[in-house]
Amino acid sequence: MRVKMASLYGKKDIRIRETELPEIKDDEILIKVMSNGICFSTYKAAMKGEEHLRVPENVHETPVVTGHEMAGIIEKAGDKWKDKYQPGTSCFLQAGIRYKGSEDAPGYSFEFFGGNATYTIIPGGYIESGCLLTYEDDYFAFASMGEPVSCIISAFHTCIHDYMEDMFVYDNIHGTKKGGSMLLMAACGPMGIGAVDYAVHGPSRPKKLVVTEINEERLLRAKKLISPEEAAGCGVELVYVNPSDMEDEEQELICLSGGNGYDDIMIFAASESLVELGSSLLAVNGCLNFFAGPTDEQFKAKVNFYDIHYRRTHYVGNSGGNLDDIREMFDLSKKGMITPEYMITHVTGLQEVPEIILNLPDIPGGKKLVYPHVDLPLMALSDFEKRAEEDPVYRKIADILEKNHGVWCKEAEKVLFAEKWIDN
């Protein structure tokens, strides 16, 4: 079978590769990739090449396919899995699973296991770990967002607090404080939007939620998608602020917390100043989750150790989610409680992927969703209206998006598949 993929050949070197896919082994499964989200972690891997923890040293000789936020259709199952996985079944991946402790991961380490491809082969060990999940639907965009949303859910579960009734009880309470105060910093990008959505609509809602963002366009989009009025209906007092408008950011954020600081703080940009500011804003027994993954292996920031000692503040971080996190994402999404598609601001075909990954920090907006089997340039969702006169398909999609408040959806995806599908 011929396959097209966007493969990493080394530092800052991603190319569209067309090659023959090997026959699957008895313990492998062949997936027809229907959609894949582009993660900032892929950009980091592209910048570091073989120096990246998960990229093999021989990547120049054996390139690795990029992408790990994939959803698709089971094309063929090896003999070991024929009773469990049926061809034609929709599926998605929990890419955070590591097989037997290895750092090897889809989208970083394998020649044929990754999402920026028309077809991909899942190795047997990863299937054994439970990373391949199936579902009954022919919609794929929300499933591609499963892995990033599971990372967000994991961050909420990773936070810790002491038992307040007795400070000498040494067990911790895991998870953000229900009914507490929460601060999401630099949080109107794709992952931040997902966190706001989960905080407002998820099972452990804070009473007060403050969201900061210096990018005014992102801030306005977040307000439109998840308004303070909507949050109030869920029992959450939601406040969006642009720190650029503040004379004294620390004091004004303290005031917004009610004067006592925040029970939970999450930081969505790898910034020393944000970490240090967050450290100064923690309440007694508060927890700071450094969510943003830095590219600098020596990234450091000052935190308040006096507060760690006397005010029992906590610091955590997480990278990836587990199977429970992605199952929770799926359940909440199917119930209509959260909307993973809020994260998506662009859609495109496979041909554009190398340039998108290599220039990701310079492309505005949130998640870029790749449809490997469609012929489509990189399109911001707002571009469909702007370019509606160029192509009747763009007109159709623009009308769908207008009805859906500018959010990508199943109906838009169906039009794209029907009108822009290419044989590959």
Side-chain angles (χ1 to χ4, degrees):
M1 174 184 286
R2 297 296 291 178
V3 61
K4 289 182 181 178
M5 58 186 70
S7 295
L8 179 68
Y9 284 76
K11 191 179 295 187
K12 300 181 181 180
D13 186 2
I14 299 176
R15 310 174 204 168
I16 295 295
R17 179 188 183 202
E18 186 170 355
T19 187
E20 195 73 22
L21 204 63
E23 282 293 321
I24 63 169
K25 301 174 184 175
D26 287 346
D27 66 342
E28 295 178 333
I29 291 180
L30 176 66
I31 303 295
K32 184 176 188 175
V33 182
M34 301 298 286
S35 62
N36 182 77
I38 295 181
C39 179
F40 201 79
S41 296
T42 302
Y43 165 78
K44 296 173 189 175
M47 293 301 102
K48 295 178 77 72
E50 64 273 20
E51 297 174 7
H52 191 278
L53 178 67
R54 295 172 186 161
V55 175
E57 293 182 359
N58 69 339
V59 67
H60 298 283
E61 291 79 37
T62 305
V64 296
V65 61
T66 59
H68 57 270
E69 297 176 0
M70 69 184 85
I73 299 171
I74 295 174
E75 185 81 6
K76 183 179 179 182
D79 288 341
K80 180 175 180 177
W81 304 111
K82 282 187 174 179
D83 293 336
K84 185 174 182 180
Y85 294 102
Q86 303 302 316
T89 305
S90 296
C91 61
F92 62 112
L93 193 73
Q94 175 47 288
I97 297 295
R98 301 286 182 272
Y99 181 60
K100 293 185 177 180
S102 169
E103 283 297 332
D104 290 348
Y108 301 92
S109 315
F110 297 91
E111 185 176 10
F112 300 118
F113 184 21
N116 287 321
T118 49
Y119 293 85
T120 189
I121 296 173
I122 304 184
Y126 285 81
I127 303 168
E128 288 176 5
S129 72
C131 74
L132 183 63
L133 299 99
T134 59
Y135 64 103
E136 295 181 4
D137 202 338
D138 58 353
Y139 177 40
F140 301 96
F142 87 98
S144 270
M145 296 299 102
E147 194 278 336
V149 175
S150 79
C151 297
I152 293 164
I153 293 174
S154 174
F156 278 70
H157 293 325
T158 301
C159 290
I160 57 173
H161 303 274
D162 294 335
Y163 283 103
M164 292 299 290
E165 292 80 4
D166 186 344
M167 65 180 291
F168 297 109
V169 174
Y170 297 115
D171 290 335
N172 290 319
I173 302 171
H174 287 267
T176 56
K177 186 176 179 181
K178 191 173 184 177
S181 56
M182 176 179 288
L183 173 65
L184 304 179
M185 307 181 76
C188 291
M191 301 303 277
I193 284 284
V196 176
D197 190 19
Y198 184 76
V200 169
H201 300 111
S204 184
R205 301 169 187 174
K207 183 178 180 181
K208 180 71 171 280
L209 175 61
V210 178
V211 179
T212 74
E213 176 60 60
I214 60 172
N215 184 307
E216 192 65 23
E217 183 178 350
R218 284 184 168 186
L219 190 68
L220 291 173
R221 180 173 183 266
K223 283 183 180 180
K224 180 180 177 181
L225 293 176
I226 309 167
S227 69
E229 292 76 18
E230 178 186 344
C234 297
V236 179
E237 183 187 351
L238 173 59
V239 180
Y240 290 100
V241 295
N242 187 334
S244 302
D245 299 332
M246 294 179 167
E247 292 185 10
D248 189 329
E249 185 177 356
E250 181 177 340
Q251 286 305 309
E252 292 184 47
L253 287 174
I254 283 286
C255 288
L256 285 172
S257 76
N260 297 316
Y262 295 89
D263 298 306
D264 294 286
I265 297 176
M266 295 186 188
I267 298 176
F268 289 85
S271 162
E272 294 177 23
S273 61
L274 281 183
V275 174
E276 293 174 7
L277 176 59
S279 179
S280 69
L281 296 171
L282 282 170
V284 172
N285 195 28
C287 182
L288 185 149
N289 187 310
F290 180 61
F291 187 89
T295 54
D296 180 4
E297 294 179 12
Q298 298 302 313
F299 180 90
K300 296 179 176 69
K302 295 177 181 178
V303 299
N304 191 321
F305 273 80
Y306 179 93
D307 284 352
I308 292 173
H309 187 86
Y310 287 107
R311 291 165 56 85
R312 306 190 312 283
T313 55
H314 310 272
Y315 293 81
V316 298
N318 67 289
S319 176
N322 62 24
L323 287 170
D324 288 337
D325 298 323
I326 203 164
R327 290 188 186 110
E328 182 179 346
M329 166 270 166
F330 187 81
D331 289 343
L332 292 175
S333 178
K334 293 303 285 183
K335 292 174 183 175
M337 294 177 66
I338 63 171
T339 308
E341 296 94 330
Y342 284 162
M343 305 171 76
I344 300 168
T345 60
H346 295 67
V347 291
T348 190
L350 183 65
Q351 200 67 31
E352 311 292 329
V353 169
E355 286 299 311
I356 294 170
I357 293 174
L358 294 173
N359 297 284
L360 196 57
D362 300 321
I363 304 174
K367 279 285 182 183
K368 284 71 183 172
L369 185 66
V370 180
Y371 287 107
H373 295 271
V374 304
D375 180 16
L376 187 73
L378 179 63
M379 295 281 287
L381 300 190
S382 58
D383 287 345
F384 285 102
E385 178 62 42
K386 294 174 184 176
R387 300 177 60 180
E389 300 306 316
E390 298 177 19
D391 190 324
V393 178
Y394 295 173
R395 176 74 273 160
K396 288 181 184 179
I397 294 176
D399 291 343
I400 292 167
L401 293 176
E402 183 180 8
K403 293 176 184 177
N404 201 43
H405 309 289
V407 179
W408 193 249
C409 60
K410 182 176 182 176
E411 190 179 356
E413 184 178 275
K414 286 291 185 185
V415 170
L416 198 60
F417 285 165
E419 304 286 351
K420 293 293 183 179
W421 192 268
I422 51 179
D423 293 325
N424 49 18

